[in-house]
Structure formats: structure tokens, C-alpha cells
Amino acid sequence: MQTTSIQYLKGIGPQRAKSFTARGVQTIEELLYYFPRRYEDRRNFAKISELNESQVYTIKAQILSAGQRNWRRRSAFSITEAAVGDNTGKISCIWFNQPYLKEYLIAGACVILYGKVERYNSRLQMSNPEFEFLDNQDNDSLNIGRIVPVYTLPQGFSQRGLRCIIKNALDEFLPKINDPLPFDLRSRHHLLNLAQSLLNIHFPQDLSLQQQAHTRLSFEEFFLFQLPLVLRKLNRKEKIGISHLVSGRLIEDFISGLPFQLTAAQQKVLAEIKADMASSQAMQRLLQGDVGSGKTVVAAIACLAAIQSAHQAAFMAPTEILARQHYEKISSQLEQLTFNGRKLRLALLVGQDKQKQKIYQKIKEGEIDLVIGTHALLQEELSFKSLSFIVIDEQHKFGVGQRALLPKKGNNPDVLIMTATPIPRTLAITLYGDLDISVINQLPPGRIPIKTLQFNQEDRNKAYALVKQELNYGRQAYIIYPVIEESYALDIAGAKKMFGELKAGEFKEFRLGLIHGKLKTREQNEVMLKFKNKQLDLLVATTILEVGIDIPNATCMIIASAQRFGLSQLHQLRGRIGRGNLQSLCILISDSQTPESKARLAAMVASGDGFYIAEEDLKIRGPGEFFGNRQHGLAELKIANPLIQMQLLKAARDEAISLINQDARLEERPHQLLKAKLFQRFPEYEKLMLVG
Ligand code: ADP
Ligand code: MG
């Protein structure tokens, strides 16, 4: 029954089936898993005479009168207004810019309204309430006198129509439904069975059962999400990889030649990586660390372990600018080192390189020890003599598929994945459940926290003045714009035009550069080089600077139209300054008043801690958005929220581990339904099992 198309249900024809498809629902099972967006308790309605300001209510009332007016004379902005009343009082309801409502709001009709009560001109009113007409039938038991589900409506459906379709589907199919979660697991965690849960998630008998249904269905999502991760990890541990030589002169010489001491956190993480590399199991380790915590040098040391074991290493970065920067920095750090009586051989591999064929050849013949590059490393023609270690920098910039490509060029090489968007440890362990995790939880000593200020657009000259002061001390600065060309529609300034304006005006006594994604890579590199060599004072840029750029003399950053950026992105951008031991200053310019952008900017001003920022970002955006579609099956979580239900997530993960340990291929009888469900959800799971 699960896979039967919803077209066969009463009330759904081809047209409506199509609009459901747009919401990811094609089968009856998917329909049963199409959960309400919220509920209305229609067992008792609020009395109009008892409504309070700024609270949300459901009321049942009669329309007394309705009308429509324009907001201002000749303005296109319309207001529809209805006065409604019950036997205790009256209240006015208004809707903005929905002129078609007028036709529906007929005096005498009975409605249920849901919305927030506000005070306007000393009177209470509901603005933009959601509403539903009542049938004048006494037996409307789906829509009244109970806790009623409210759905996100596919096109062409009404709440009442959809409730009816879902109720019929539940009545018909729940008696036949089997629970994929094994009985003993369910009883260990006191989970409701599937039929009860589906019934109560749609039409809760009471709030406590709705809660239990929610818990059970969330557990199920987490559990199904964990199983493939846990199995992947197990499969990997069974694979034989390369056992590296991790202590030795090369590494020691390198560390003692560094102009600084490794921090305790760097040393701890390095020890974890070394232990993995020494073992013959293939490593898949996630290295989390805030911007500027010094991940690169740790990765470079790990590369040396590969080289001194007579293998090759590859280091992949998401942009050419970053790949170049890593190449230059690591080359200079390795310059003095020798191994087996020769210098180390590094190569840079980026998109448009004319030397590409030559470099390929050398890598293939083992004449390159370490290659640093962009996506160019993924090209099919590239093969290695003996690739044993891989670094993937700023992993969130790569898709899951891309990340999997590079390791195929070696024989179960060790992989180190780095990210500067750290998330809380419990969350990381569960979400990146197939990886081992290391954290650098400390910045190098001597770093002074970046000062972050927020200015209104009209005060931007004050921001410029502060930056000029810094430039006069011989420091450098960035000004970031969200777009290259300005947008009149959105009222945001573009980098190109502002570059011209600032150069001719506010900053005319300074040397300005402009960098953005539409420049040729060669031009980008030239600008970066000039900035690095202090031939430029101020760099006007777009988010092309978001990741990795490391120029310690740059101590100032202005971010224009700051509300246009996500929180993690703002933090990454800010991470371009404060990289030396000078006081740095970041100025966010924004007039935005939306609660969400205010929350983001406030978090930036309040904290420089990447873990805190990531947590706030997760809260503001929710996990699906935060991790993004490309990154994670997480975006597919419909009901579970790993932020709020961390305990449940942990329990689901523990159960997944014990199940995989006991019956990795889910061959035992009580696991058959579960296996079927997994294959259906994650078709690639079948392959995973075969590998194991
Ligand atoms: P990220 O973690 O953001 O990739 P980087 O590896 O680019 O950070 O390091 C930031 C800067 O700090 C670099 O200039 C690097 O040379 C320097 N650095 C790294 N480790 C230390 C340390 N232990 N002490 C002082 N400076 C360090
Ligand atoms: Mg980095």
C-alpha cells in the first residue's frame, strides 16, 4: 500500500496529484507523512470579550459587516476589513493587499479566525488572521470541536478538503500499516506505535497524544537518518588503508622551524590525526575550528606524514585564490626542508593552468609530493602514483558527491575534512555520524578580540572615518558589498560603483583595489597580490573573500548592507581580520528592521565565538537551511529538529549503533520492514550493505 499513488484516493485527480507532487508527495505513505504545519484547539474558542493584546487566539464568530478601501488615495495598497462578533463582543479584522477576500466575507457567514490580536488606535484588532468558513452542519466533526490540523496547502486544496482526504486515507490504510521500528526498541523508549502516531499527528485526540506522536515520528526520522551513517562508518573501519609513518625528522624539523608554537588545541588535534594516520584503518576525520584557529598548519603537518611515508598528499580548497594562498604559504614553510636528500616537490593545480598536462604527468609518476588545488583536482585525467592523504578545506563549499571523488584516486587514503563553521559537539557527532571529529577550541595566543560595531546607513561616514584612521597607521582594510552591480529594486549598493565613488571621494588619498567574481582569475590574483604586498590600502570586494584569505595586516572591515548576509557568512567574512596581534575593527552597516536580520547582527556584535555564532545561526535558520540541501539528508527532516531534540537524536543514534553491530545487513526477521523502509528512503543504502 505504501507505494500506491495518491491518485487512487477519492478527491484526488491527476491535477491535484500534480500539485501534491510539487510538495514531494506521490504515494499514500508520503501523504500520511505530510504533517500539519500547526494545530488549532477548536474544542473551546476564546471569547471576544476576553481577548488580550499581543496574544494569538482562535475565535468563532459571525461576520457583521465587511468592506474594502485603499490605504491612501490612489495607492495600490488595499485594506480589507471585516467586523466580526460572538455573543460576548465585537472585533475588527483586517487583511492587507488581498482585495479578492471581499467577495468571500459576506455578512451573516460563520467563520473561525486564527491570528494575533493587536492594538490599533486604542482598539483591538486581528491583522491578517487565517480563517475558515463553517459549514452550517452539525456533524462537522473534522473541523470543529477538536484539535484541528492546519497544513501547508498544495495548490488547489482548502484546509477542509485536505483534512477530509487525509482522514479518509488514515481510516482506510492505518489498519493495514505495519510498524518498521522493532517492538523491543519501541518499548525501550516508550514510543507509540506507527498507526497511533500517524493518527494523532494529524487528528490528535489530546495534546499529550500529539506530543507522543511527535516524539515517535521524530525518533523514526533520526533513526533512519543515522543508520546509513553508522553503517558507512562501520564499513570504513573494516577497510584496509595505508599505515603512515607519523614520527620522524621531517615533521619535527617543520614544527621547530615554525615562527610560533602550536597551541595546546592544535597539538591535541594533531595527535588524534597522527593516531589515525598511523593505523591501517582509513581515516575520515572532520576538523572543526573557528576562523583563524590555525587549521591549515595542522593539515600541512599531516601532509608531511604522507610524504615521509613515501606517498603523496592532495590539498583541495574551494576557490583559486585560497588554493594559491595555501600553496604560497605552505611552499614557503616547506622551503628549508629536505627529505631523502632532496627538497620537497609541491604543485599548484587550478582550472586554467597551461602547465596542466605536465603537472598531471609528474603527479602520476610520483614526482610531486604534495599537490594543492581547486576542483581541478577532481578531473578524471588526474591520477596519482600513490595518493595516501587528502585534505578538504572549507568542506561546506563542496557537495557530498564532490567530496567523495578525490579519495577514489587513492587506495583508501586517509581523509581530513576541515570546516570553519563549527557546531556543538553533540550535534556534530550525530549529524556527521560517519566521521570522527576533532576540534580546535582555542585561538593562537595574542589575538585581540575583534571589535564589532553596527552603524546605520546614514552614519556610514563615521565608519569611513574610523577606517581612515587605521589606514593612516599603515594598516589595510576591506569593504564588502553583497553584490557586484547595484540593485535599485532592493536598494543595495554594488561593489563596482562604490569602488568608483569611494576612490574619487571619501578615500581619494588612499590606494584602492576592486575584486569580485566576474573578474578574470588572473586579474583577481593580481589584485590579491598587490593587496598582500601592501601596494593597496583598501580592498573593495564581494563575498569572494569569504573563505580563508589570510592577510594579518588587514585590520578593518566594513560590511555594507550587512542584512543581506547570513550569520555564518558574516562571521566568515569577519574572520578575514583579527588574524595578527593587532586590534581589529569590523563595522556592519544596515538599516534593516526585520526581526531575523536584527537577531543576526546582534549576535555578531555580541560575540566573536564561532561556536556561539553557529548555534545562533542554526536557531535562526533551522537545521534544513543551515546545512543546505546539497550537504545533508538533514534538509529532509520533516518533523524532527536536532537542535531541540538533541537527547532523542542521541538515543536514536545509540540504537542505530547497537542495531548495526548486531545485524549490520538487517537480515533478521524483525528487521525486514525496517530494511524495506530504508531502501525506499535511501536507495543508495542497498549499495552500502553490499559493500559491507
Ligand atoms: P584557519 O583555521 O582559519 O584556516 P589558519 O590556518 O589560516 O586558520 O591560521 C590563521 C593564522 O594564524 C595564520 O596566519 C597562521 O600562520 C597563524 N597561526 C596558526 N597557528 C598559530 C599558532 N599556534 N600561533 C600563532 N599563529 C598561528
Ligand atoms: Mg582555513
Side-chain angles (χ1 to χ4, degrees):
M1 81 89 192
Q2 284 98 337
T3 50
T4 313
S5 160
I6 51 168
Q7 266 205 53
Y8 299 102
L9 288 174
K10 225 170 85 188
I12 299 191
Q15 198 54 41
R16 290 179 137 194
K18 222 162 143 195
S19 71
F20 247 129
T21 305
R23 299 246 165 229
V25 174
Q26 282 176 305
T27 65
I28 300 208
E29 171 162 337
E30 283 160 352
L31 180 72
L32 299 184
Y33 277 82
Y34 190 75
F35 302 133
R37 153 169 75 86
R38 62 177 178 85
Y39 301 89
E40 271 175 32
D41 190 346
R42 297 188 183 169
R43 291 171 302 186
N44 299 299
F45 292 100
K47 296 192 179 90
I48 290 181
S49 63
E50 291 172 2
L51 301 185
N52 288 318
E53 193 178 339
S54 25
Q55 294 198 40
V56 175
Y57 293 98
T58 308
I59 60 174
K60 184 175 145 202
Q62 198 172 31
I63 299 180
L64 304 174
S65 64
Q68 189 188 322
R69 58 192 151 89
N70 283 354
W71 187 45
R72 287 206 187 105
R73 222 154 59 88
R74 276 199 278 162
S75 124
F77 204 68
S78 78
I79 294 182
T80 310
E81 181 162 17
V84 305
D86 62 11
N87 52 19
T88 71
K90 286 195 278 190
I91 188 166
S92 143
C93 299
I94 58 164
W95 291 268
F96 298 106
N97 262 350
Q98 302 179 53
Y100 53 88
L101 287 182
K102 207 187 114 213
E103 291 175 32
Y104 297 91
L105 300 169
I106 295 163
C110 239
V111 280
I112 292 173
L113 294 136
Y114 169 87
K116 192 172 183 180
V117 171
E118 287 164 353
R119 188 171 296 280
Y120 182 75
N121 281 347
S122 84
R123 286 192 320 156
L124 293 182
Q125 73 175 27
M126 272 184 160
S127 320
N128 292 318
E130 294 179 32
F131 67 94
E132 224 178 280
F133 288 99
L134 274 181
D135 279 343
N136 292 325
Q137 288 166 5
D138 294 340
N139 59 352
D140 186 4
S141 58
L142 268 193
N143 300 298
I144 200 111
R146 62 156 62 222
I147 300 167
V148 175
V150 178
Y151 298 93
T152 303
L153 292 178
Q155 211 181 359
F157 285 87
S158 68
Q159 292 293 347
R160 307 167 76 83
L162 186 53
R163 273 176 215 137
C164 192
I165 286 166
I166 291 184
K167 185 63 169 48
N168 288 340
L170 288 167
D171 287 345
E172 184 174 349
F173 292 100
L174 284 192
K176 303 176 206 161
I177 212 161
N178 290 312
D179 199 326
L181 295 185
F183 179 77
D184 56 331
L185 183 155
R186 256 161 36 216
S187 49
R188 263 198 300 284
H189 299 276
H190 312 288
L191 298 175
L192 225 53
N193 72 33
L194 182 57
Q196 280 284 338
S197 304
L198 288 175
L199 185 62
N200 279 285
I201 206 70
H202 289 285
F203 294 98
Q205 256 173 321
D206 57 46
L207 289 175
S208 143
L209 276 166
Q210 188 274 335
Q211 270 303 318
Q212 291 179 53
H214 188 274
T215 303
R216 140 75 206 225
L217 292 165
S218 302
F219 186 97
E220 180 179 309
E221 274 191 351
F222 284 146
F223 187 61
L224 290 175
F225 176 70
Q226 285 299 316
L227 280 171
L229 294 181
V230 172
L231 184 63
R232 201 171 299 145
K233 185 164 179 173
L234 183 84
N235 282 348
R236 175 162 53 79
K237 301 250 160 177
E238 285 173 355
K239 272 191 215 157
I240 299 301
I242 296 139
S243 170
H244 288 98
L245 186 70
V246 294
S247 55
R249 231 205 55 231
L250 192 55
I251 289 184
E252 279 161 29
D253 286 354
F254 178 78
I255 294 178
S256 61
L258 285 173
F260 49 74
Q261 292 244 307
L262 293 180
T263 62
Q266 282 172 318
Q267 288 179 26
K268 183 191 82 195
V269 161
L270 189 58
E272 289 165 357
I273 294 170
K274 279 181 171 177
D276 275 2
M277 289 184 77
S279 115
S280 62
Q281 285 180 355
M283 168 171 91
Q284 288 267 1
R285 191 169 274 280
L286 178 70
L287 176 53
Q288 295 199 68
D290 204 348
V291 222
S293 61
K295 296 182 290 292
T296 315
V297 69
V298 171
I301 296 170
C303 288
L304 294 179
I307 297 171
Q308 71 182 9
S309 308
H311 294 293
Q312 294 164 292
F315 194 132
M316 183 163 75
T319 65
E320 182 168 335
I321 295 181
L322 194 52
R324 261 176 212 283
Q325 175 185 288
H326 284 326
Y327 175 75
E328 278 152 23
K329 183 141 193 173
I330 295 175
S331 298
S332 73
Q333 285 171 331
L334 299 184
E335 191 131 66
Q336 304 303 322
L337 297 183
T338 54
F339 171 66
N340 279 351
R342 62 168 171 80
K343 290 213 176 273
L344 301 187
R345 301 159 304 183
L346 270 62
L348 175 68
L349 192 60
V350 290
Q352 304 302 325
D353 212 310
K354 292 207 182 64
Q355 304 288 310
K356 215 152 63 178
Q357 292 304 330
K358 233 191 216 160
I359 300 173
Y360 284 169
Q361 192 64 25
K362 284 186 170 174
I363 293 173
K364 191 169 175 191
E365 284 165 10
E367 286 166 23
I368 296 293
D369 302 305
L370 168 61
V371 55
I372 298 174
T374 57
H375 302 82
L377 291 173
L378 302 177
Q379 267 153 24
E380 226 170 282
E381 306 104 278
L382 176 62
S383 63
F384 289 77
K385 183 165 186 223
S386 173
L387 176 64
S388 76
F389 180 65
I390 290 167
V391 181
I392 299 177
D393 195 15
E394 309 289 352
Q395 60 91 23
H396 61 285
K397 294 277 166 187
F398 296 97
V400 179
Q402 286 180 316
R403 260 166 22 208
L405 279 179
L406 196 48
K408 297 209 174 101
K409 295 186 187 285
N411 190 10
N412 295 329
D414 287 337
V415 181
L416 184 67
I417 298 166
M418 306 207 285
T419 175
T421 307
I423 54 172
R425 190 169 178 83
T426 31
L427 206 55
I429 291 172
T430 41
L431 299 185
Y432 298 109
D434 53 340
L435 307 176
D436 292 303
I437 296 175
S438 290
V439 182
I440 302 185
N441 56 1
Q442 155 184 55
L443 294 180
R447 295 277 166 83
I448 306 169
I450 300 171
K451 209 196 281 171
T452 302
L453 304 172
Q454 191 191 331
F455 282 19
N456 288 330
Q457 179 70 13
E458 76 177 31
D459 290 335
R460 64 184 181 283
N461 285 337
K462 288 190 200 153
Y464 296 154
L466 288 171
V467 169
K468 277 194 250 180
Q469 234 173 44
E470 287 290 302
L471 298 184
N472 283 328
Y473 285 128
R475 316 261 192 271
Q476 290 161 286
Y478 304 102
I479 300 192
I480 311 286
Y481 292 91
V483 288
I484 302 174
E485 312 281 355
E486 73 259 66
S487 157
Y488 293 108
L490 297 171
D491 193 22
I492 43 179
K496 235 175 171 171
K497 175 155 166 256
M498 290 312 293
F499 169 68
E501 270 181 30
L502 296 171
K503 195 178 152 111
E506 203 62 44
F507 289 94
K508 60 173 178 291
E509 68 267 42
F510 296 98
R511 299 163 300 173
L512 268 63
L514 171 68
I515 189 166
H516 56 70
K518 285 224 177 106
L519 291 182
K520 297 219 175 64
T521 341
R522 188 179 44 79
E523 297 168 314
Q524 290 178 6
N525 295 333
E526 273 165 22
V527 177
M528 273 330 284
L529 192 66
K530 273 190 176 170
F531 190 70
K532 201 171 142 212
N533 293 339
K534 303 192 185 166
Q535 291 161 310
L536 294 173
D537 304 302
L538 180 69
L539 195 54
V540 176
T542 56
T543 51
I544 192 164
L545 287 193
E546 184 181 340
V547 291
I549 300 303
D550 184 31
I551 299 177
N553 190 51
T555 58
C556 264
M557 174 174 284
I558 293 181
I559 305 180
S561 304
Q563 77 281 358
R564 308 284 309 170
F565 300 93
L567 184 48
S568 294
Q569 201 178 17
L570 285 170
H571 181 65
Q572 292 294 319
L573 282 168
R574 178 172 60 181
R576 299 311 115 224
I577 57 174
R579 299 180 79 82
N581 39 22
L582 301 166
Q583 169 74 64
S584 290
L585 174 66
C586 174
I587 301 174
L588 309 170
I589 296 186
S590 171
D591 285 342
S592 173
Q593 291 300 326
T594 72
E596 208 197 298
S597 58
K598 274 163 86 177
R600 267 183 274 145
L601 301 184
M604 282 291 290
V605 173
S607 175
D609 174 0
F611 280 87
Y612 171 83
I613 296 273
E615 248 174 282
E616 289 302 300
D617 198 16
L618 259 160
K619 275 187 214 155
I620 295 170
R621 284 198 286 165
E625 283 269 314
F626 181 86
F627 290 99
N629 252 327
R630 278 187 327 145
Q631 284 290 319
H632 251 280
L634 253 198
E636 283 164 28
L637 294 182
K638 293 194 192 105
I639 190 167
N641 183 340
L643 274 187
I644 297 168
Q645 298 169 294
M646 248 192 249
Q647 284 303 325
L648 197 70
L649 173 53
K650 172 99 177 33
R653 175 169 174 79
D654 290 345
E655 284 291 351
I657 292 171
S658 86
L659 178 63
I660 293 294
N661 282 333
Q662 176 203 331
D663 180 17
R665 283 178 198 77
L666 304 182
E667 281 158 350
E668 291 168 22
R669 227 186 130 70
H671 304 151
Q672 291 312 302
L673 279 167
L674 184 61
K675 181 153 109 183
K677 188 136 185 165
L678 264 175
F679 283 4
Q680 186 192 327
R681 279 283 167 88
F682 307 99
E684 71 276 28
Y685 196 85
E686 206 160 349
K687 259 185 266 153
L688 267 182
M689 287 220 186
L690 294 178
V691 174

